Amino acid sequence: MNVHSGDSSGHDYSHIERVRKMALLIGREEQADLFIVEMAALLHDTVDDKLVEPARAWQQLEQFFDSVQLAADKRAAITHILQYISFKGGKNAGKLRSLEGKVVQDADRLDALGAIGIARTFMYAGAFGDVMYDPDRAPRDLATADYRAQSTAINHFYEKLFTLKELMNTTRGRQLAEERTAYMEAFVDRFKQEWH
């Protein structure tokens, strides 16, 4: 099950590997179950409905768990993380209960920030047909707007990315998110200067 091959939306295997490494780093500091952390990090985009057909993806995941004879408690822990890790316009807020899930969520969110986050934002916009910037198009309020509706790459910073630092679960996650968000804010300011 390789849902990441050929991806050009910023959800390729390099993203998965960065999330895995960051999740393990944070997981060690938080004394989380590193098996659950690593497995959830490796699998976190395999059932993401913006990348795959959900029903089929969940079926394939169950087949994978069966093929490796994963114990029921581990299967349940990983499944819970995969169900609730995604941002989804804030609709999953508060649903992720486990420490391991919070660790992986921080690692995934950190990969949406900083220099890598900037690059991934423009990859995603291009892959899904969003324009770079439209000064006449204001950022949406995701509390009322459809999170996946067309937008612009620059609006995505305001609609989601700049809010992530407030949503981090761990001390290390918050520290890194602050640094990476400051870098992105400087980039967006410079982008707008050059645009105008």
Side-chain angles (χ1 to χ4, degrees), residues 9 11 44-45 47-54 82-92 108 124-125 127-130 137 140-152 156 159-160:
S9 73
H11 298 85
H44 82 275
D45 276 342
V47 292
D48 187 332
D49 64 359
K50 70 180 170 289
L51 305 172
V52 297
E53 193 279 306
L82 301 185
Q83 285 174 319
Y84 298 116
I85 189 173
S86 183
F87 181 76
K88 292 193 187 297
K91 292 175 180 60
N92 274 344
D108 188 35
Y124 186 85
F128 288 94
D130 287 347
R137 205 167 174 183
R140 302 166 298 166
D141 176 0
L142 295 184
T144 57
D146 176 8
Y147 174 60
R148 298 256 170 88
Q150 292 291 146
S151 188
T152 75
H156 187 64
E159 293 167 353
K160 176 183 177 184

Side-chain angles (χ1 to χ4, degrees), residues 50-158:
K50 70 180 170 289
L51 305 172
V52 297
E53 193 279 306
R56 176 124 174 85
W58 282 105
Q59 181 182 36
Q60 288 177 321
L61 182 67
E62 287 300 321
Q63 290 168 351
F64 169 71
F65 287 158
D66 290 343
S67 74
V68 297
Q69 299 177 349
L70 190 64
D73 62 328
K74 304 237 182 260
R75 184 184 297 221
I78 294 165
T79 298
H80 173 76
I81 294 168
L82 301 185
Q83 285 174 319
Y84 298 116
I85 189 173
S86 183
F87 181 76
K88 292 193 187 297
K91 292 175 180 60
N92 274 344
K95 294 181 181 176
L96 194 56
R97 295 183 307 268
S98 71
L99 169 63
E100 291 74 18
K102 292 175 181 181
V103 164
V104 178
Q105 187 176 62
D106 276 8
D108 188 35
R109 287 176 171 174
L110 285 167
D111 205 55
L113 302 176
I116 295 285
I118 292 167
R120 289 184 66 222
T121 297
F122 286 95
M123 286 182 75
Y124 186 85
F128 288 94
D130 287 347
V131 297
M132 273 197 311
Y133 180 52
D134 178 351
D136 296 325
R137 205 167 174 183
R140 302 166 298 166
D141 176 0
L142 295 184
T144 57
D146 176 8
Y147 174 60
R148 298 256 170 88
Q150 292 291 146
S151 188
T152 75
I154 293 299
N155 280 355
H156 187 64
F157 289 93
Y158 296 100

Side-chain angles (χ1 to χ4, degrees), residues 154-182:
I154 293 299
N155 280 355
H156 187 64
F157 289 93
Y158 296 100
E159 293 167 353
K160 176 183 177 184
L161 303 181
F162 291 158
T163 71
L164 292 180
K165 68 182 180 182
E166 305 302 327
L167 302 176
M168 301 306 281
N169 302 296
T170 64
T171 301
R172 174 59 71 94
R174 282 188 291 281
Q175 291 168 343
L176 292 171
E178 288 283 343
E179 291 172 25
R180 294 182 185 197
T181 300

Side-chain angles (χ1 to χ4, degrees), residues 12-71:
D12 56 2
Y13 189 74
S14 297
H15 162 67
I16 301 303
E17 187 59 18
R18 288 189 304 273
V19 171
R20 182 187 75 83
K21 288 178 185 175
M22 181 61 71
L24 287 172
L25 184 144
I26 296 172
R28 281 186 199 96
E29 291 179 8
E30 296 289 327
Q31 299 181 341
D33 180 325
L34 296 183
F35 176 80
I36 299 296
V37 165
E38 187 166 26
M39 287 298 291
L42 287 168
L43 295 169
H44 82 275
D45 276 342
T46 61
V47 292
D48 187 332
D49 64 359
K50 70 180 170 289
L51 305 172
V52 297
E53 193 279 306
R56 176 124 174 85
W58 282 105
Q59 181 182 36
Q60 288 177 321
L61 182 67
E62 287 300 321
Q63 290 168 351
F64 169 71
F65 287 158
D66 290 343
S67 74
V68 297
Q69 299 177 349
L70 190 64

